[in-house]
């Protein structure tokens, strides 16, 4: 119920943004209410795409390629073992060719889920640590986080696009259209903030929950703790360069590094890594896994 409510609110929020934006554009270009109607039609199409094709969009946006067992035997072996531990269907496996050590999961449900790992993470982590990371990603799948995360990534990208269009639309407005001009400026300012809030609200609690689920699946919370420490150092050395920031929350650790988080902790897409490690260590000490 909670998950369905979150999805409904996210899609409703996207609808509202596009309808309001359509109304503003309609006022600027003298379309009247037709602009809002066009925004509604576009929002229906975008909602459909966000729900049914968000996984494909996420893979494409992050340059992830589906690989076979022959192409990535190590990944397939570990994912297969962990999926059996988790009691879920083995997801497809993808690779992202980048030095950034990271991983993410996407998909609408367990039947079309994908776990993606970067070439950087496979070079950085040993098998035990990689098991911890992939178990975390399977935790997202088991907890049904992946649809919400994928939809949020699609939404954030759309909202950012809307803000960019609004920026250029201002220059075509009439001199006396002060109201529409102000509305456009507000949209440009607040739309990216809204996208950041969406990512923040979804990701922080989900990451803690996936850490716990991953530790339970791998039966080794210290492996994930060690992996998180290595990944954070690796991301600082090799931050990702060609991925849209709207997809940052999909990754196990912010792919742009902690510097970006320190600039605006309010909009951080991930919880503090040290706090995550502390929780995993305590989980190991308590034997609660």
């Amino acid at each position: 119920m909670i998950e369905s409510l979150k999805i409904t609110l996210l899609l409703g929020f996207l609808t509202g943004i596009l309808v309001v934006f359509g109304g503003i554009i309609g006022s600027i270009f003298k379309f009247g209410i037709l602009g809002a109607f066009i925004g509604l039609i576009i929002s229906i199409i975008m909602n459909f795409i966000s729900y049914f094709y968000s996984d494909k969009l996420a893979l494409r946006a992050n340059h992830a390629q589906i690989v076979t067992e022959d192409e990535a035997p190590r990944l397939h072996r570990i994912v297969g073992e962990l999926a059996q531990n988790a009691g879920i269907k083995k997801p497809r496996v993808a690779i992202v060719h980048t030095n950034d050590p990271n991983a993410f999961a996407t998909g609408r449900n367990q039947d079309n889920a994908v776990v993606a790992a970067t070439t950087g993470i496979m070079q950085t982590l040993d098998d035990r640590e990689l098991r911890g990371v992939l178990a975390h990603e399977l935790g997202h799948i088991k907890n049904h986080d992946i649809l919400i995360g994928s939809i949020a990534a699609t939404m954030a990208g759309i909202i950012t696009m809307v803000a960019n269009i609004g920026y250029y639309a201002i220059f075509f407005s009439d001199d006396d259209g002060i109201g529409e001009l102000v509305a456009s400026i507000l949209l440009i300012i607040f739309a990216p903030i809204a996208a950041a809030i969406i990512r923040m609200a979804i990701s922080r609690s989900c990451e803690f929950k996936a850490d716990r689920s991953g530790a339970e699946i791998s039966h080794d919370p210290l492996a994930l703790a060690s992996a998180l420490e290595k990944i954070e150092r690796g991301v600082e050395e090799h931050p990702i360069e060609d991925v849209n920031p709207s997809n940052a929350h999909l990754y196990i650790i912010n792919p742009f590094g902690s510097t970006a988080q320190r600039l605006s902790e309010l909009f951080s897409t991930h919880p503090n890594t040290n706090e995550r490690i502390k929780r995993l260590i305590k989980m190991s000490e308590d034997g609660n896994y």
Side-chain angles (χ1 to χ4, degrees):
M1 287 293 294
I2 293 176
E3 186 162 334
S4 298
L5 179 60
K6 283 184 177 180
I7 292 171
T8 302
L9 289 174
L10 283 172
L11 296 179
F13 182 82
L14 177 60
T15 299
I17 285 288
L18 292 177
V19 169
V20 170
F21 177 74
I24 292 172
I25 294 298
S27 297
I28 291 174
F29 292 100
K30 309 303 181 183
F31 296 153
I33 196 172
L34 179 61
F37 180 74
I38 292 173
L40 177 61
I41 297 300
I42 293 175
S43 72
I44 293 172
I45 296 172
M46 291 296 99
N47 285 339
F48 179 85
I49 292 173
S50 296
Y51 188 83
F52 289 103
Y53 297 100
S54 55
D55 57 325
K56 293 180 177 61
L57 293 174
L59 290 175
R60 181 176 298 178
N62 292 280
H63 312 294
Q65 299 175 342
I66 300 293
V67 290
T68 64
E69 290 190 38
D70 291 336
E71 293 172 317
R74 181 188 180 200
L75 280 180
H76 272 277
R77 173 177 54 81
I78 295 174
V79 170
E81 292 172 359
L82 293 172
Q84 189 172 14
N85 290 352
I88 63 174
K89 181 179 178 180
K90 179 187 173 185
R92 290 173 294 162
V93 174
I95 288 180
V96 182
H97 293 279
T98 175
N99 290 327
D100 178 80
N102 234 310
F104 69 90
T106 187
R108 190 169 71 254
N109 50 42
Q110 291 186 18
D111 291 332
N112 62 7
V114 182
V115 171
T118 67
T119 50
I121 202 171
M122 290 187 286
Q123 295 167 356
T124 302
L125 306 183
D126 59 31
D127 276 13
R128 177 173 170 246
E129 292 164 334
L130 187 58
R131 278 177 60 87
V133 168
L134 296 176
H136 167 98
E137 299 306 332
L138 290 179
H140 277 307
I141 296 172
K142 188 172 183 178
N143 297 337
H144 307 287
D145 298 333
I146 53 175
L147 175 59
I148 296 176
S150 298
I151 288 177
T154 304
M155 281 186 55
I158 292 171
I159 291 172
T160 302
M161 178 186 69
V162 164
N164 289 334
I165 294 173
Y167 174 80
Y168 290 106
I170 286 178
F171 296 102
F172 295 96
S173 61
D174 296 334
D175 292 338
D176 59 350
I178 302 300
E180 291 82 2
L181 181 61
V182 170
S184 295
I185 293 173
L186 290 176
L187 184 62
I188 293 167
I189 293 173
F190 288 110
I193 294 176
I197 291 173
I198 290 169
R199 298 196 303 271
M200 176 187 66
I202 291 172
S203 298
R204 288 186 174 183
S205 60
C206 287
E207 291 305 314
F208 282 128
K209 188 177 178 182
D211 284 346
R212 170 168 287 277
S213 297
E216 291 170 349
I217 292 169
S218 67
H219 309 298
D220 191 357
L222 292 182
L224 178 56
S226 176
L228 289 174
E229 188 174 7
K230 283 188 177 181
I231 294 170
E232 178 145 284
R233 288 201 306 267
V235 167
E236 291 300 315
E237 295 174 5
H238 303 286
I240 209 161
E241 296 179 352
D242 56 349
V243 169
N244 193 306
S246 64
N247 287 276
H249 69 284
L250 293 175
Y251 288 86
I252 190 168
I253 281 186
N254 190 328
F256 301 103
S258 61
T259 300
Q261 293 187 39
R262 286 194 294 269
L263 290 175
S264 184
E265 183 64 25
L266 177 62
F267 299 133
S268 171
T269 58
H270 293 72
N272 181 272
T273 303
N274 289 333
E275 177 61 27
R276 295 171 69 181
I277 292 172
K278 287 179 183 178
R279 293 191 184 197
L280 288 165
I281 292 174
K282 186 175 188 306
M283 189 176 176
S284 176
E285 291 172 347
D286 294 343
N288 188 19
Y289 56 94

